[in-house]
Amino acid sequence: MTHAASSPAPETVPQQRPSGQPFLSVRDLLVHFPTVDGVVKATDGLSFDLARGKTLGIVGESGSGKSVSSSTILGLQRGTRAIVKGEILLDGTDLLSISDEQMRLRRGRDVAMIFQDPLSAMHPYYTVGNQIGEAYMVHHDVSKKAARARAIEMLDRVGIPQPDRRVDDYPHQFSGGMRQRAMIAMGLINDPGLLIADEPTTALDVTVQAQILDLLQDLQREFNSAIIIITHDLGVVAEMADDVLVMYAGRCVEYGPTKEILTQPQMPYTWGLLSSVPDVAGDTESRLVPIPGNPPSLLNPPSGCAFHPRCAHLDKVPGNLCRTDLPDLTPATTGGNHVKRCHLVHPEDVWAKEVLPEIAPELAEQNQEPTA
Amino acid sequence: MRRIFAGVIMLILMSLVTYVLFFSGGLHPERAACGKNCSPAQWEQTKKALGYDKPAVVQWGEFLKGTVAGRTYPEDKALAKANPSLVSTCPAPCLGYSVVNTTNVSTEVKTAFPVSFSLAILAFIMWIVGGVFFGVIAALRRGTVVDRGIVGVSLIFYAFPTFWIGLFFLKFFAIQWQIFPVPSYVNLTDSPLAWLGNLVLPSLTLALIYMAGYVRMTRAFVLESFGEDYLRTARAKGLPNRRVLVKHSLRASLTPIVTMAGLDFGALVGGAIITESVFNYDGLGALAVDSVRTLDLPTIVGLVVVLAAFIILANIVVDILYAVIDPRVRLG
């Protein structure tokens, strides 16, 4: 699964950028929605960096604030009653402080988004070519004919057969995989520096999923764009992402290079996510280990660490700390830029001794020998 | 094609139902034609002469035959030969001959139809334009004073009876302030300007009633489309708001509006009885009221068929428009 996960030269410290300033830098992003029942804290103090040509995977359960954060980068919350604070620096410009019109001009050109379920994300009444060409025409002063030619070119690029004919089809005449390819064509038609993919493979069957992910990687190499991929599928993360950000209840709970997050996670919620992934090569009789309980309400999140009501390792923390104090994002023991939000003093021991033997015994044995 | 065929079958059935219902009521449509002092014998004779003595189904059969072959009144070949001036002919397609109005039903319809149609089409344009416009404004300003104002005012007009609004317009706009002429129907071919000027008040009266529904419907569907994924996609492309609204949102809201508009228009062509009465327009609505009052069966049947035909036609047009609007719909 991880054949193309990392870039040609594996970096131990991805945060060191040659230019010093990362392409995308999100600082303390906060998105709150005032409702009649109170304030929904969809995103609370989220920070991450992303360089061109790199991929960030954002994972978390439904309602953990993944999609809200990303659509805020696109400025889609504008015109609603959402309260947004923090900074979103794209190439040095704060997307939160520019005017609506300036944001609109960047939308689709500098930052583009592809959505899950392309059947509902495309307008049923217009041809695929019309919708793709429209994305080009709005940012380029070209004729309809030129936009159409460009749409055909993009459809060809994303691997739609006979693009000059399929360009006049309606979305319902495309298969699910082709629709997602068309969505990608629409997203990439203006060569955006940043592409946000919101669960791009959720509605597709697995063979098509793999094709779509390969396509995204090819295109990323070609256009050197930064990609944020939002998913709850850790397989997708392993395949695509350079860095992973795990979200829980609107907050980042663990963030670091993909390899470290997947092999040496230091936060019980990440453990839970990894435990609930089925092992293809594993015993068919073996049971998945779900995370007990339900995702918390963002209206009234639990006190202290939001994960404490579902955490199996509460007793390893002295006193009532997990219930009363929100843990800070602190560097993990693996070093580098791997951070975690957990009160556990030695999470690496708990992982190696308790969690890993349970979900992947053979890996646990290997890990007994010290490897860096 | 299948639809048109089904429509014709429906029209035939509706005329049958009209005949059967009419005669099941124990009415004596021949009474008026018999005159003031009508002896039982004369009554019988009139009944026979007018053809009301035959069973309803037989009369219906004659009506059907007439629509294809034409008829003469009375159906008496000898009389026609001896004294042609006493026999009235009704060429095919014959909808019947109205004894009460001493004219063919098709002539009656032909005279009244332009009046009702002009009224309907002008009112239709007014309420669609106004309804969609104010509906969109209300949706864009959802929850604000503007939104509540638009919905509230349209409801007030909806709640007022037609005759009240009609009389109000007549009294103030036509008589007191003389902004518009006191409406009386002018043929379009005679003077297009006078035709329009005279129609403004009656059409507006009619349009205001219908508009409330369209304001609310447009508002609801535009708001609903705002929540659709494809509208988010349109915004994510960086389209200007106006384009998102017109190209993506309104287009999606069009289907239900077209459905209702088509049916409302089809029904309205059949005559706005109250509006026509208030403004003294001799349209199909007024004709229908008169024919029922005088038990003028041929006119009643003729109107039922013509008006039903319009509703069926409107349905077919709506179906065709569906396929034009929504590429996923195929005409069967």
Side-chain angles (χ1 to χ4, degrees):
Chain A
M1 279 292 266
T2 55
H3 63 90
S6 47
S7 48
E11 293 170 274
T12 40
V13 188
Q15 221 62 3
Q16 282 178 351
R17 313 285 175 207
S19 61
Q21 174 78 273
F23 177 60
L24 171 72
S25 178
V26 174
R27 289 282 150 258
D28 301 316
L29 180 65
L30 173 149
V31 186
H32 287 183
F33 297 100
T35 67
V36 280
D37 299 320
V39 177
V40 174
K41 301 181 185 82
T43 302
D44 220 350
L46 191 69
S47 301
F48 58 82
D49 292 321
L50 187 60
R52 265 187 176 271
K54 296 287 175 189
T55 303
L56 171 73
I58 301 185
V59 288
E61 287 163 302
S62 314
S64 58
K66 301 170 294 189
S67 296
V68 168
S69 317
S70 52
S71 53
T72 306
I73 298 175
L74 215 60
L76 289 180
Q77 89 296 341
R78 284 167 188 255
T80 68
R81 290 163 55 183
I83 300 164
V84 181
K85 288 190 184 120
E87 275 183 338
I88 299 172
L89 295 167
L90 184 76
D91 239 356
T93 314
D94 186 0
L95 296 186
L96 291 180
S97 60
I98 59 177
S99 73
D100 284 357
E101 181 63 11
Q102 278 174 315
M103 186 65 232
R104 177 183 78 74
L105 290 173
R106 284 171 174 271
R107 221 179 274 150
R109 196 187 64 193
D110 297 343
V111 194
M113 189 152 180
I114 56 179
F115 298 97
Q116 63 169 309
D117 191 9
L119 183 59
S120 62
M122 293 185 104
H123 202 297
Y125 294 177
Y126 293 105
T127 62
V128 171
N130 180 324
Q131 299 187 54
I132 297 177
E134 186 183 36
Y136 190 64
M137 269 168 76
V138 70
H139 297 297
H140 296 84
D141 191 16
V142 293
S143 66
K144 270 198 169 152
K145 212 170 163 186
R148 190 186 135 93
R150 173 80 178 152
I152 294 173
E153 188 189 323
M154 282 309 290
L155 283 177
D156 188 36
R157 184 63 203 82
V158 296
I160 302 256
Q162 295 181 299
D164 50 331
R165 283 175 52 194
R166 300 311 298 257
V167 73
D168 292 322
D169 278 357
Y170 289 94
H172 69 277
Q173 292 164 312
F174 272 34
S175 70
M178 281 166 69
R179 274 196 289 268
Q180 192 54 280
R181 284 169 194 270
M183 273 308 279
I184 293 174
M186 194 191 291
L188 289 174
I189 197 163
N190 296 311
D191 301 345
L194 174 63
L195 182 68
I196 302 171
D198 190 350
E199 312 211 12
T201 56
T202 303
L204 307 174
D205 69 67
V206 276
T207 49
V208 182
Q209 276 190 19
Q211 291 169 9
I212 295 290
L213 294 181
D214 281 348
L215 174 67
L216 273 178
Q217 284 176 330
D218 286 351
L219 294 169
Q220 179 175 34
R221 270 193 289 276
E222 188 179 321
F223 296 105
N224 194 33
S225 36
I227 295 183
I228 295 177
I229 190 157
I230 299 166
T231 181
H232 50 251
D233 185 343
L234 288 172
V236 172
V237 164
E239 167 112 357
M240 295 282 296
D242 300 297
D243 288 346
V244 180
L245 192 153
V246 182
M247 280 190 81
Y248 189 80
R251 283 202 171 86
C252 166
V253 292
E254 191 159 10
Y255 173 44
T258 305
K259 198 168 173 233
E260 283 185 28
I261 298 285
L262 292 183
T263 58
Q264 292 161 290
Q266 305 211 333
M267 156 79 199
Y269 176 64
T270 317
W271 300 345
L273 284 179
L274 287 167
S275 311
S276 44
V277 176
D279 181 359
V280 178
D283 187 359
T284 49
E285 296 292 307
S286 69
R287 312 186 72 172
L288 290 180
V289 188
I291 305 172
N294 291 313
S297 150
L298 295 177
L299 195 59
N300 193 10
S303 60
C305 170
F307 188 60
H308 84 255
R310 304 168 72 186
C311 186
H313 307 277
L314 211 55
D315 52 342
K316 297 185 184 69
V317 176
N320 234 351
L321 216 52
C322 289
R323 290 191 186 82
T324 54
D325 285 37
L326 174 69
D328 290 327
L329 267 182
T330 49
T333 52
T334 49
N337 65 326
H338 182 181
V339 290
K340 44 96 185 173
R341 194 188 285 278
C342 185
H343 284 305
L344 283 173
V345 186
H346 293 295
E348 70 280 5
D349 289 345
V350 182
W351 164 254
K353 292 201 182 98
E354 290 182 32
V355 186
L356 195 59
E358 197 177 311
I359 60 173
E362 68 287 353
L363 274 178
E365 275 162 36
Q366 283 171 26
N367 281 14
Q368 293 305 321
E369 304 125 44
T371 44
Chain B
M1 217 47 227
R2 205 171 44 88
R3 279 157 223 270
I4 295 172
F5 182 71
V8 171
I9 299 280
M10 207 127 92
L11 286 181
I12 294 174
L13 286 177
M14 285 194 69
S15 59
L16 172 65
V17 169
T18 313
Y19 268 96
V20 171
L21 278 181
F22 186 82
F23 286 103
S24 68
L27 302 169
H28 301 289
E30 68 282 356
R31 177 66 190 84
C34 183
K36 218 170 188 179
N37 301 311
C38 187
S39 69
Q42 280 172 315
W43 191 327
E44 269 316 304
Q45 205 182 349
T46 320
K47 195 169 179 178
K48 201 170 174 193
L50 294 176
Y52 286 131
D53 56 330
K54 296 169 197 158
V57 179
V58 175
Q59 293 189 42
W60 173 66
E62 285 174 351
F63 165 77
L64 279 190
K65 200 177 140 213
T67 56
V68 184
R71 292 170 82 173
T72 53
Y73 289 91
E75 203 90 57
D76 189 337
K77 291 216 171 74
L79 182 66
K81 214 163 211 176
N83 205 344
S85 64
L86 286 181
V87 176
S88 169
T89 56
C90 176
C94 174
L95 290 174
Y97 174 82
S98 164
V99 181
V100 179
N101 300 328
T102 62
T103 177
N104 283 340
V105 174
S106 39
T107 316
E108 291 181 303
V109 172
K110 258 177 225 154
T111 329
F113 178 75
V115 180
S116 286
F117 192 76
S118 305
L119 195 61
I121 200 141
L122 215 62
F124 180 77
I125 292 170
M126 283 180 185
W127 95 60
I128 290 290
V129 171
V132 170
F133 179 77
F134 287 114
V136 167
I137 301 276
L140 289 179
R141 299 268 177 276
R142 170 178 41 160
T144 63
V145 185
V146 178
D147 174 24
R148 283 185 200 136
I150 288 174
V151 173
V153 169
S154 65
L155 268 184
I156 288 175
F157 279 117
Y158 184 67
F160 269 110
T162 320
F163 61 82
W164 192 90
I165 294 180
L167 286 175
F168 179 86
F169 282 168
L170 202 56
K171 170 146 172 58
F172 288 99
F173 288 95
I175 296 167
Q176 196 146 334
W177 301 329
Q178 301 187 349
I179 299 169
F180 292 101
V182 176
S184 70
Y185 185 72
V186 178
N187 272 324
L188 177 63
T189 44
D190 292 349
S191 162
L193 218 63
W195 171 82
L196 194 68
N198 279 293
L199 273 173
V200 168
L201 288 185
S203 329
L204 191 61
T205 307
L206 212 50
L208 283 175
I209 302 289
Y210 281 94
M211 206 150 89
Y214 285 77
V215 165
R216 302 199 70 154
M217 193 168 62
T218 306
R219 179 183 179 276
F221 281 105
V222 166
L223 282 180
E224 190 186 303
S225 78
F226 282 172
E228 295 282 356
D229 284 353
Y230 52 76
L231 225 72
R232 186 182 55 180
T233 309
R235 272 196 224 103
K237 282 185 210 173
L239 295 182
N241 285 337
R242 180 190 295 262
R243 195 163 168 77
V244 172
L245 177 75
V246 175
K247 183 174 172 185
H248 292 263
S249 170
L250 265 186
R251 173 78 187 263
S253 319
L254 216 55
T255 314
I257 295 175
V258 163
T259 312
M260 209 161 111
L263 298 185
D264 276 349
F265 182 70
L268 195 62
V269 169
I273 294 170
I274 298 171
T275 312
E276 283 177 13
S277 315
V278 169
F279 292 98
N280 210 6
Y281 269 41
D282 292 323
L284 293 173
L287 184 62
V289 173
D290 282 345
S291 63
V292 170
R293 202 181 302 148
T294 55
L295 298 180
D296 184 1
L297 178 66
T299 306
I300 295 175
V301 176
L303 282 176
V304 165
V305 171
V306 168
L307 303 188
F310 265 99
I311 291 183
I312 290 168
L313 198 69
N315 263 304
I316 293 175
V317 170
V318 164
D319 278 351
I320 293 170
L321 280 179
Y322 271 163
V324 174
I325 295 170
D326 188 343
R328 290 170 301 182
V329 176
R330 291 249 176 103
L331 284 180

